[in-house]
Structure formats: structure tokens, C-alpha cells
Amino acid sequence: MSDSAATSDGLLFLTDEQLRKGIEAMFFAYRGFTADPDRILEGMDYGRAHHRAIHFIHRSPGTTVSNLLAILGVTKQSLNRVLRSLIEDGLVRSDKGREDARERHLFLTEKGLMLERELSDAQRARMRAAYRAAGPQAVQGFRQVLEAMMDPEMRRQYNRLKEGGT
């Protein structure tokens, strides 16, 4: 059987060794994917939690703190620490809700937009190079694999973002 382990009826049978190779590839790919933003954030006392918050606030301007909590899957205390530093440093603006003053709507400031662009440009360059090297069919297959690995609730959130919602 070939390395793809596909059978004539289209079913996929993978050995533990093939799965281990895939798992290790994910670990090393994630290290590469996060390395560029990590270097950018290093001198700012920010980490990956800050990067994820900036990314999703940019992706859904005006998102609420509770929505961001659901997307990031972190504790309220952890998110509050991250948001407090981003707000204090002038990267994020928090506005009271119009209908519910207890709600906080989050927006990137100009400074936040500049940092988000720098972080995203680095990751887009890496993704673009990988996608070009792999080709269109591999890109589609990769996306399908990633979506299939998501828990149902995460997939729903992902699909809402894909469709332009929050």
C-alpha cells in the first residue's frame, strides 16, 4: 500500500506509524507557524494569548468579551489579564454595549491594527509559501483535515467566522 494508505474503495487506513508522523508534523508545523509572531512579540512582553486575542478582535471588530472567551477557550481571569495589558498599552479599545452597559465590545486601535498587520503578514507569508509548495489539492485536503479535527462547537464558531459573523 502507498504512503497515502488509500484503498481502491476510497477508504483510508493508516498505521500507528503514519499517524505518529502526522502528529509530529503538526507539532513542528505549529512551532514554525508561531515562531515569527513569537519573535515580534518577544520584546513587548506579550505572548501567544495576546496574539490570539488581537487576531480575533481584528477578525470580528466589536466582539464581546464573552464571545472572545468562547472562541479562545481560556478562563475569564486569564483573558482579563491579556485584555488589561492590551488596553493599557493602547492596542485595544473597550466600549460599553449600547443595549447592555455591562457588555464590553472590543476594537483594535490604530496601534493595534499595525501590530495585527505585522503578525498576520508574517504568518500569511509562511502559509502562502507552504500552500504554493503543496499545491491546490493539498491545500483543500489540509483544510478538510483541520476542520475534521475540530470539536463540533469549535467547528460552529469557525464556520461563523468563515461566514463573516462573530
Side-chain angles (χ1 to χ4, degrees):
M1 194 177 295
S2 72
D3 197 32
S4 70
T7 63
S8 61
D9 58 4
L11 297 177
L12 188 64
F13 296 97
L14 298 172
T15 65
D16 284 348
E17 178 64 12
Q18 289 169 315
L19 292 170
R20 183 191 59 74
K21 286 179 182 179
I23 291 167
E24 288 174 358
M26 285 283 293
F27 282 131
F28 285 105
Y30 181 73
R31 280 182 59 188
F33 181 69
T34 56
D36 301 318
D38 285 352
R39 277 191 290 278
I40 293 166
L41 296 172
E42 196 172 45
M44 305 174 78
D45 279 337
Y46 292 158
R48 292 183 186 158
H50 295 85
H51 179 201
R52 288 190 299 268
I54 289 169
H55 174 85
F56 286 106
I57 293 168
H58 177 260
R59 186 69 177 81
S60 299
T63 192
T64 62
V65 172
S66 23
N67 188 52
L68 197 55
L69 276 168
I71 289 171
L72 298 177
V74 297
T75 65
K76 195 172 190 176
Q77 182 180 13
S78 172
L79 182 58
N80 282 338
R81 270 195 305 271
V82 166
L83 289 176
R84 190 175 321 111
S85 64
L86 293 173
I87 290 168
E88 287 173 1
D89 293 344
L91 298 165
V92 170
R93 185 180 90 234
S94 172
D95 295 349
K96 286 183 184 178
R98 293 175 195 237
E99 295 174 26
D100 184 348
R102 294 171 298 177
E103 266 188 350
R104 296 284 180 238
H105 295 268
L106 304 169
F107 300 88
L108 293 182
T109 63
E110 274 304 312
K111 185 177 174 184
L113 288 167
M114 287 171 42
L115 178 58
E116 189 284 329
R117 192 172 308 114
E118 184 179 4
L119 296 167
S120 290
D121 283 351
Q123 287 187 312
R124 273 194 297 273
R126 187 177 289 266
M127 290 290 286
R128 187 174 290 112
Y131 280 178
R132 279 191 179 132
Q137 284 184 306
V139 170
Q140 181 181 357
F142 175 66
R143 201 170 295 128
Q144 288 173 325
V145 168
L146 292 176
E147 289 176 11
M149 288 175 61
M150 294 176 194
D151 290 335
E153 178 54 31
M154 286 184 189
R155 194 173 308 114
R156 281 189 288 279
Q157 291 175 348
Y158 170 74
N159 286 331
R160 280 194 301 270
L161 283 171
K162 237 177 31 174
E163 295 161 5
T166 55

